[in-house]
Amino acid sequence: MTNKQNLSMLLGIVLASILASIFLLGSTFGTQDPFYINMANRLSSSSAPHWLGTDHMGRDIFARMVYGAKLTIGLGILIILLAMCIGIPIGLLSGYIGGKMDAFFMRVIDGILAFPDFILAIAIAGILGPSLTNIVIAIVLVKWIVYARVIRGLVLEEKQKEFVLASRLSYSSTFHTIRLHIIPQIFSEIVVMAAIDVGKIILLISSFSYIGIGAQAPLPEWGAMLNEGRTFIQVHPSLMVYPGIAILLTVLCCNLLGDGLKGYFQARKRRNLQ
Amino acid sequence: MKTVGKMIGSRLSQLFIMIFVLSFFTFLLMKITPGDPIRSILKVDDVSVTTKKEEQLKKEYGFDEPILKQYGDWIINVAQFDLGESLISKKPVSELILERLPATLALAIGGLTVLFLISIPLGVISSLYENRWPDYISRWIALVGASIPSFWLGLLLMYFFSLKLQWLPMMGRGTFAHFILPSFTLGMAMAPMYISLLRERLITILQSPYIEAAKARGISKRRIVFFHALRGSLIPLVTMFGLSLGSLLGGLSVIEILFSWPGMGELIVQAVTQRDYPLIQGFIIVIGFLIVLTNLLVDLLYMVINPQIQQGKEARV
C-alpha cells in the first residue's frame, strides 16, 4: 500500500513541476499579450508566434492560458487560505472549550452543511452580484464551515488524550495547550484536506465562470475561456480542448498530491509508533 | 414505531434550523449589499430612472421598512406557503419553481441510474481484483473522473456524440434522445466518489468473519461479492447518497445550463444574473425542503436495509 501512495506523491510532484515550469516559463518568456485583440488573425492554428493558435478574437491562446493559470490557481489557494483562517480558529475553540456554545454552534453548522454548497454559493454570488470577487467571497463563506466542522471533530478526539490532559493540569494556558499539543496532532489532516480542496475549488471557480457568474468576459479564467469558446466548438474545437485539459491536469495534480501526502503522513505515524 | 416519529421530529427541526439560518443570512446579505433590486426592475421595464418612480416601487415592495419587519413579513408569508413573486417576470415564485421541477427530477433520476450503472461494476471489479490491474484501471478512472470538470466532460460528449457522430441531439429537452447526454454527464461526474467508497467498503467486508465462513463453505468469490458483501455495503452507499444529494443538485445546475435543459438550475442562474431576490430566496427554501425530505427517506431506507437500526441499536458503520 505504501508503495502505491508514494507513487501518487511522485506522480503528483512530477505533474506539478511540469505544469509549474510551463506556466512559469510562459509568463517569463512569453511575448504575447493575453488581451491583445487582432481580428485579422482569428481562429488560427498553432504557429511560431502563437504556439496554441489564436481564439475567436485573435488573442494568443497560450498567453491566455498562462494568465489564466495565475488567476485560477492563485484564487484556489487564496480561497483555501481565507477559509482556513476563519474555519480553523473557530473549530479549535469550539471543540476545545465545548459546552453549550459549542452545541448550539454545531447545530447551526449542521443545518447549513446539509445544504448544497454549490447552490448556496450561487445564491450568495447572486445577491452580491455576479463577479469574480463575489464568487471568491461566496466560496469562502461556504467553505470555512467545512473546516470548522472537521477541525472541531479532530480536536474533540485529541482533547481526550493524556498529553493534553497533562498540559491542562499543569496550568498551561488554553492558547499554549492548543498551539503546542493540539495543532501538531491535527496538522497533517489539515494539510491533506487543503491539498485536495484546492483542486475542488478550482473546479468550482471554473464551473461558476463557465455558467457566467464568475470571471467575466475578457478575463482569461479557464472556465470563462471555455464559455467564450463554446460557440466555436464546431469550427475550432481546440478553443475548448486546451483550457479543459489545463483544469483537468491541475486538479489531478492536487488530488495526487493530497493522496500522496496522506500516505506520507500515515507512514510517518506508523514509524513513530514503532 | 416510536423511532419513526422521533426521526421525523429531528428531521423537521433540522429543516427549521436550516431554513431559518439560511434565509436570515441571505436576507441580511441582501440588505447590506450595495446596488439594489429596484434598479434592476427599472432596467427591465426600460423606463428612465426617476427618483419618484424608485420611491414608489420601494414602497410597493416594502423595501423602505426596517429589515427585521421585512424579514418577519417574509417568514409569515413563507409559513403560509407564499414565496412572493418574481421581481422580473411578476409571476409567483412557487409557480416558477414548480414548473421547472419535473425536468430537474427527470434528469436527477437519469443521472442516478447512470451513476449506479458505472460505480457498482467498477467498485465490485476493484474489490475482486484488489491491487491487480483491473483494480488499478478502475482506481485511475475514479481519480481522473474526480479531476474532470463536469461541464467540460459534457462539452466533450456533446462534441463526439452530437457533432461528430450525430447520434444524439446537442441540447434542449423533448425526446428520450435529448435525455441521454445530460444523464451520462451527471452520472459520470458523480461516479468517482462512489467507486472509491464502494471499493473500500467491499474490501473491508471481504475480510470479515461471515465472508470467511462463506468461503469455507466453498462458495465462489463472485457469488460472495454479489450476494453477501454488496448487501453489507449498502448502508454507507445510502448514507453517501443522502450526503451527496446536495452536490447532485449543485452539479445539475451546471449541466442544465450546458445542455439548455429547462430545469431549476437554469432558473436559479437566470435569477442570479437578474438579481431576482425573491426567486433566489424561494429557491433556497425549496431546495432545503427537498434535501430534508430525501434525508428522511434515507433514514427510512436504513430501517429497511438494516432492521437493527429500528430497534435503536447503534449499527451504523
Side-chain angles (χ1 to χ4, degrees):
Chain A
M1 216 45 204
T2 346
N3 250 333
K4 161 78 185 154
Q5 257 132 10
N6 285 346
L7 183 70
S8 310
M9 188 73 143
L10 187 71
L11 283 173
I13 291 174
V14 170
L15 189 57
S17 336
I18 295 174
L19 289 175
S21 41
I22 292 176
F23 294 138
L24 284 178
L25 289 178
S27 69
T28 339
F29 297 110
T31 47
Q32 300 290 339
D33 178 354
F35 296 101
Y36 176 71
I37 296 174
N38 177 9
M39 286 312 236
N41 187 26
R42 62 199 291 265
L43 298 176
S44 69
S45 334
S46 312
S47 60
H50 303 290
W51 295 345
L52 299 181
T54 54
D55 70 359
H56 58 289
M57 287 177 149
R59 295 171 297 197
D60 183 64
I61 295 180
F62 183 69
R64 288 176 71 73
M65 297 277 301
V66 169
Y67 192 96
K70 278 189 275 185
L71 201 65
T72 311
I73 300 170
L75 285 179
I77 294 172
L78 176 77
I79 291 176
I80 277 296
L81 289 179
L82 288 175
M84 290 203 300
C85 283
I86 308 173
I88 294 179
I90 291 181
L92 280 172
L93 284 178
S94 186
Y96 188 78
I97 296 168
K100 273 192 185 138
M101 193 53 210
D102 175 53
F104 170 74
F105 198 63
M106 283 305 135
R107 249 335 280 219
V108 172
I109 279 191
D110 281 343
I112 301 176
L113 273 187
F115 200 82
D117 53 354
F118 190 82
I119 290 177
L120 191 56
I122 288 186
I124 295 175
I127 292 163
L128 298 175
S131 80
L132 194 55
T133 325
N134 289 341
I135 280 295
V136 170
I137 296 174
I139 301 177
V140 171
L141 281 179
V142 171
K143 226 28 196 199
W144 74 268
I145 304 171
V146 184
Y147 278 85
R149 187 80 177 94
V150 171
I151 303 280
R152 171 187 174 271
L154 291 172
V155 171
L156 281 185
E157 217 172 278
E158 292 301 322
K159 210 168 83 170
Q160 313 293 331
K161 298 208 172 138
E162 275 144 9
F163 53 84
V164 177
L165 286 179
S167 165
R168 291 170 85 182
L169 283 173
S170 57
Y171 292 104
S172 303
S173 69
T174 306
F175 176 73
H176 181 86
T177 312
I178 290 181
R179 191 174 66 93
L180 230 66
H181 301 288
I182 292 188
I183 291 184
Q185 295 300 315
I186 63 176
F187 177 75
S188 59
E189 311 259 357
I190 299 177
V191 171
V192 171
M193 194 170 150
I196 293 173
D197 268 352
V198 170
K200 282 191 191 157
I201 284 170
I202 290 176
L203 285 180
L204 264 183
I205 301 176
S206 57
S207 306
F208 281 127
S209 299
Y210 180 78
I211 60 179
I213 56 177
Q216 302 296 327
L219 266 189
E221 198 281 326
W222 291 336
M225 284 174 77
L226 282 169
N227 185 10
E228 278 189 78
R230 169 180 62 158
T231 21
F232 301 90
I233 175 172
Q234 195 151 14
V235 276
H236 205 72
S238 67
L239 278 188
M240 140 200 127
V241 173
Y242 299 127
I245 290 180
I247 301 174
L248 169 63
L249 289 181
T250 311
V251 179
L252 185 64
C253 182
C254 293
N255 283 336
L256 283 170
L257 285 178
D259 198 33
L261 280 169
K262 198 159 132 194
Y264 167 76
F265 284 124
Q266 270 169 2
R268 200 178 66 171
K269 210 170 189 176
R270 263 201 304 275
R271 259 205 316 278
N272 284 349
L273 283 177
Q274 276 163 6
Chain B
M1 276 289 132
K2 199 181 158 198
T3 39
V4 178
K6 225 169 140 188
M7 215 162 62
I8 294 174
S10 96
R11 284 297 175 196
L12 274 182
S13 77
Q14 187 198 8
L15 178 72
F16 284 123
I17 292 175
M18 180 158 92
I19 286 178
F20 192 74
V21 170
L22 286 178
S23 64
F24 187 72
F25 177 64
T26 45
F27 214 87
L28 207 68
L29 211 57
M30 282 178 198
K31 298 302 157 190
I32 58 173
T33 333
D36 67 274
I38 298 295
R39 294 277 167 115
S40 61
I41 300 173
L42 287 173
K43 235 187 274 168
V44 169
D45 288 351
D46 213 14
V47 212
S48 55
V49 183
T50 57
T51 359
K52 208 176 144 208
K53 177 93 179 160
E54 215 178 309
E55 290 301 315
Q56 186 197 330
L57 271 172
K58 259 189 189 159
K59 205 160 217 142
E60 197 184 313
Y61 287 103
F63 287 154
D64 54 347
E65 310 250 23
I67 293 181
L68 278 177
K69 168 99 174 36
Q70 285 184 41
Y71 183 68
D73 287 349
W74 183 79
I75 278 281
I76 289 168
N77 285 334
V78 169
Q80 295 162 346
F81 297 103
D82 174 12
L83 296 176
E85 62 178 37
S86 154
L87 293 181
I88 310 292
S89 68
K90 314 279 186 226
K91 283 188 192 160
V93 168
S94 45
E95 190 184 299
L96 282 172
I97 295 177
L98 282 179
E99 69 185 22
R100 297 290 190 118
L101 193 62
T104 293
L105 283 184
L107 188 50
I109 291 170
L112 285 175
T113 316
V114 175
L115 168 71
F116 287 122
L117 287 180
I118 296 175
S119 54
I120 292 182
L122 283 178
V124 168
I125 288 173
S126 243
S127 67
L128 271 177
Y129 299 95
E130 194 193 345
N131 288 333
R132 276 183 282 161
W133 65 265
D135 182 26
Y136 288 132
I137 291 177
S138 109
R139 279 161 81 176
W140 269 98
I141 292 177
L143 186 64
V144 174
S147 314
I148 223 171
S150 61
F151 59 92
W152 191 58
L153 181 71
L155 274 175
L156 289 183
L157 290 176
M158 213 188 239
Y159 181 74
F160 285 112
F161 291 101
S162 316
L163 285 175
K164 288 282 134 180
L165 298 170
Q166 307 216 321
W167 285 353
L168 295 164
M170 205 157 143
M171 40 181 65
R173 182 176 178 233
T175 60
F176 183 73
H178 284 95
F179 183 66
I180 298 175
L181 280 185
S183 303
F184 261 88
T185 313
L186 184 63
M188 283 161 83
M190 287 182 66
M193 205 165 51
Y194 286 82
I195 298 173
S196 341
L197 185 86
L198 188 59
R199 173 183 178 273
E200 255 163 57
R201 187 67 203 145
L202 279 175
I203 287 175
T204 325
I205 289 181
L206 284 176
Q207 287 159 355
S208 58
Y210 78 96
I211 299 290
E212 291 292 323
K215 266 189 214 160
R217 293 208 308 273
I219 300 170
S220 75
K221 197 166 183 190
R222 246 157 255 238
R223 210 184 143 78
I224 290 177
V225 168
F226 283 107
F227 291 92
H228 301 252
L230 258 181
R231 192 183 154 95
S233 61
L234 272 176
I235 290 214
L237 275 189
V238 169
T239 312
M240 189 85 185
F241 170 69
L243 289 175
S244 64
L245 183 81
S247 64
L248 172 77
L249 287 169
L252 263 171
S253 49
V254 177
I255 289 163
E256 281 177 1
I257 301 239
L258 175 66
F259 289 99
S260 308
W261 186 265
M264 283 160 69
E266 211 204 3
L267 182 74
I268 181 71
V269 175
Q270 256 174 42
V272 161
T273 37
Q274 296 169 331
R275 304 186 82 174
D276 193 342
Y277 288 170
L279 192 50
I280 298 176
Q281 283 276 37
F283 191 76
I284 290 181
I285 304 270
V286 173
I287 294 283
F289 258 113
L290 280 179
I291 298 268
V292 173
L293 201 70
T294 343
N295 279 335
L296 190 63
L297 281 178
V298 166
D299 286 348
L300 292 172
L301 247 163
Y302 276 150
M303 292 192 172
V304 179
I305 301 172
N306 188 346
Q308 271 189 324
I309 294 175
Q310 199 175 350
Q311 291 154 19
K313 282 182 196 157
E314 198 54 48
R316 279 188 204 201
V317 243

